[in-house]
Amino acid sequence: MSADNSSNGHSSSNETIPYTPVAGQREAAAERRKGYPYRFPRDPRLLGGKFTVAENGRRLLRFFYFERRLMQALGAWTLSIPEFEVKLETGRHIFYHADAARLLRERLSEQEMRLKDIDAFHDAEIDGFFDELLSAGHAPELLVGMHQVIGRALATVYRHHIDDTCPVTDVPTIRCLRRILTDYEPMLEWADAAIAAYVEGGVEESPLAAWRWHLQRLLASIGGVTGSDPRGEAPSPLRTTSKPFARGTVPLRDVRFDTFKSTGDYDVADGQERFPKDSYEALRLRFIRTQRDEVDAIEAFGTFIWDIRFKDFQAEYDLARITWDEARHTEIGHRALLAAGYDPFELRNRLTGSTCRGPMEPAFAMAEINLFGEVGVLKTINQLIDAAASRNDELLRHVSDFIRADERTHVRKGGKIIQVMTDLSAKDLELRTRELFTECLVSLGAVKKDMDVFTVSREDIEHLVGE
Ligand SMILES: [Fe+2]
Ligand SMILES: [Fe+2]
């Protein structure tokens, strides 16, 4: 309210609400203010912004959709990234995008939108962009597209949105975007360093630059992240025109790994026992190796996100969180092997489970890793933690304590995820899963088929495939 208005008691013509004083009130307020001694910090935010609720919602919905598609797209590539460090980091990034999508979805539900409609939203142009992004030829190209093109574009748009929206009326959106950027900053920084590492290690730089340019033009052709930028012409030809994207089915490892898939048993794979079977030392090493080899669980849960995409947001979100947890378990295993005196790469890496799960329908692969694998871990981990504590083995006690908490959480979430994946009864699901794994384990030579009618037990699967 301006001083001019108050002096004559009338509003100027462009004020929508006229100032109408009641005699004495303003003077009384000024008098009361004199008795208030506190000078609290001034809040400098100014009222006003560029967006209506409808336009805010339109933009946030696109942000949500990009984040959801990024989570799914990285999931689709988890099997196909060979480099250990990149696979691990990608497991973490999947969750960053999932969590960004969750925050945006929640804010959208406060901006006149229903969760049902938010979850059902699709955009064919954005889908086309992701199809091309997914057609990366190898992991360095994947990082270029996911981080240097779309990741960076999103971070820029989020910062602009923070600047452009009203800092008073729409502060929940600002807080939401700031929290997302907290994850983006280290993620994009890591990606730049990782791409530089690929180039320094011999990956040709020029094709990466060409791919970056190609995707940037494609993004510009759909009006950028917001859809409101001036549209450029789409690049041609697109890779997806000649070859539509299909996710990989084979788990890849980098050259430092010595892998095996013809057995699930580490001693058989090594050709000898390091410690007497069932001794504490044997169980301890097996546990730590299994954690490191949960690099295959990043692949399993990441792939499920892709395979069940758009069926149920909560299931995608829970899978993304489990994917990150499994990346942590892998890191825990790697570090624990170092602390136990090993070069983690001297220990052969088990690919048995991931090889079977890779091409499988998600319900059966999920039943194996969750209902057999993770439930199986919980059957023995209490004893292991107690044995570690009584031996003063602080390394094993520490890591297995946290892993137990994680795996209990995975088992709890798993039940709901499986319901999204299949209508089969628990009994039918278990039987069909055992049949499929018997077939796969026989084909790998991990079990011998000695009868006409033969299906491995769930205990065998727990032992052979692990988790
Ligand atoms: Fe795990
Ligand atoms: Fe797990």
Side-chain angles (χ1 to χ4, degrees):
M1 204 66 54
S2 75
D4 293 339
N5 289 345
S6 60
S7 63
N8 60 20
H10 295 288
S11 64
S12 63
S13 59
N14 60 357
E15 288 286 341
T16 48
I17 305 174
Y19 172 64
T20 314
V22 171
Q25 282 187 342
R26 175 163 289 214
E27 294 76 6
E31 206 50 41
R32 289 196 302 277
R33 185 177 284 114
K34 285 183 198 158
Y36 187 69
Y38 312 118
R39 297 292 173 263
F40 288 110
R42 269 181 177 272
D43 183 343
R45 291 173 300 155
L46 302 176
L47 194 59
K50 282 190 183 169
F51 309 128
T52 59
V53 167
E55 177 61 9
N56 206 28
R58 187 193 71 79
R59 287 174 185 244
L60 294 187
L61 190 56
R62 281 180 73 94
F63 302 167
F64 163 77
Y65 195 67
F66 272 106
E67 294 290 356
R68 188 180 195 181
R69 298 253 49 191
L70 269 162
M71 155 182 71
Q72 298 167 348
L74 287 175
W77 259 82
T78 47
L79 282 160
S80 308
I81 298 170
E83 290 75 27
F84 183 66
E85 293 85 349
V86 180
K87 202 186 286 272
L88 241 67
E89 208 63 44
T90 298
R92 205 184 332 274
H93 297 161
I94 286 171
F95 181 67
Y96 287 173
H97 292 301
D99 211 36
R102 179 187 66 84
L103 286 165
L104 289 161
R105 181 173 179 264
E106 195 177 300
R107 181 61 184 144
L108 279 162
S109 77
E110 302 160 349
Q111 296 284 283
E112 314 282 7
M113 285 195 195
R114 293 182 306 177
L115 288 176
K116 200 166 117 290
D117 298 328
I118 300 165
D119 291 351
F121 178 76
H122 282 275
D123 184 286
E125 288 182 333
I126 298 176
D127 290 345
F129 173 73
F130 271 94
D131 286 344
E132 189 69 3
L133 200 66
L134 282 160
S135 306
H138 50 29
E141 282 194 349
L142 181 77
L143 297 188
V144 164
M146 296 287 173
H147 300 291
Q148 289 191 328
V149 178
I150 186 60
R152 193 175 289 187
L154 280 165
T156 303
V157 166
Y158 292 164
R159 284 194 296 267
H160 288 172
H161 198 97
I162 288 170
D163 288 343
D164 286 341
T165 197
C166 178
V168 181
T169 55
D170 193 26
V171 70
T173 297
I174 293 176
R175 185 165 186 274
C176 159
L177 294 174
R178 281 206 182 120
R179 288 173 70 181
I180 295 171
L181 286 171
T182 304
D183 285 337
Y184 264 68
E185 279 151 23
M187 176 165 64
L188 297 182
E189 213 172 284
W190 175 88
D192 284 342
I195 291 162
Y198 273 125
V199 170
E200 275 158 34
V203 172
E204 262 200 274
E205 190 169 14
S206 171
L208 293 181
W211 177 240
R212 185 180 308 125
W213 192 239
H214 173 81
L215 292 173
Q216 275 169 346
R217 285 180 62 207
L218 186 58
L219 183 60
S221 77
I222 64 169
V225 169
T226 62
S228 311
D229 291 350
R231 290 177 177 234
E233 200 168 314
S236 176
L238 297 178
R239 288 185 188 178
T240 40
T241 315
S242 52
K243 189 167 176 265
F245 171 75
R247 74 159 172 86
T249 55
V250 178
L252 301 185
R253 295 287 178 276
D254 68 62
V255 296
R256 292 166 299 177
F257 284 98
D258 176 21
T259 62
F260 67 90
K261 58 187 179 190
S262 59
T263 174
D265 189 304
Y266 287 123
D267 288 342
V268 175
D270 289 340
Q272 66 173 84
E273 280 182 7
R274 281 186 162 82
F275 301 106
K277 212 169 191 60
D278 299 327
S279 65
Y280 173 71
E281 288 71 21
L283 296 174
R284 175 187 201 262
L285 182 60
R286 189 180 141 199
F287 181 79
I288 301 175
R289 286 183 79 167
T290 302
Q291 295 309 311
R292 192 281 304 269
D293 288 352
E294 287 199 358
V295 66
D296 74 354
I298 303 173
E299 296 165 337
F301 293 107
T303 302
F304 299 153
I305 301 172
W306 175 256
D307 286 355
I308 67 152
R309 63 193 180 280
F310 296 118
K311 276 201 174 146
D312 181 85
F313 180 77
Q314 189 60 42
E316 288 169 55
Y317 179 81
D318 286 343
L319 284 169
R321 177 52 207 258
I322 297 175
T323 307
W324 175 33
D325 292 347
E326 303 300 358
R328 267 190 308 114
H329 295 174
T330 309
E331 293 175 305
I332 292 167
H334 183 88
R335 282 165 167 76
L337 286 173
L338 282 169
Y342 291 93
D343 171 347
F345 296 104
E346 80 183 74
L347 295 158
R348 302 189 74 197
N349 174 236
R350 181 167 58 191
L351 277 186
T352 326
S354 209
T355 302
C356 289
R357 286 188 298 261
M360 212 173 266
E361 270 183 56
F364 305 117
M366 176 69 182
E368 185 278 324
I369 197 164
N370 182 251
L371 292 180
F372 298 1
E374 292 177 316
V375 170
V377 172
L378 293 180
K379 285 183 188 165
T380 53
I381 199 165
N382 291 337
Q383 280 164 289
L384 191 66
I385 294 173
D386 290 346
S390 72
R391 281 174 173 74
N392 240 335
D393 182 350
E394 184 52 19
L395 173 71
L396 194 73
R397 193 210 56 78
H398 170 64
V399 301
S400 51
D401 187 24
F402 276 88
I403 287 165
R404 174 173 60 186
D406 288 341
E407 297 301 0
R408 279 182 176 157
T409 311
H410 296 178
V411 168
R412 200 175 64 230
K413 289 176 180 170
K416 290 196 189 109
I417 297 170
I418 286 174
Q419 282 176 15
V420 172
M421 291 176 163
T422 182
D423 296 329
L424 287 178
S425 70
K427 201 164 154 260
D428 292 344
L429 180 65
E430 173 173 337
L431 182 62
R432 186 73 193 120
T433 302
R434 283 171 47 210
E435 285 169 357
L436 286 169
F437 273 83
T438 303
E439 225 170 85
C440 181
L441 291 168
V442 167
S443 77
L444 294 176
V447 294
K448 302 274 169 284
K449 195 178 172 103
D450 48 12
M451 285 176 271
D452 278 347
V453 188
F454 166 72
T455 306
V456 289
S457 68
R458 79 181 278 148
E459 286 72 23
D460 285 336
I461 292 179
E462 284 167 15
H463 178 69
L464 288 167
V465 187
E467 214 285 315

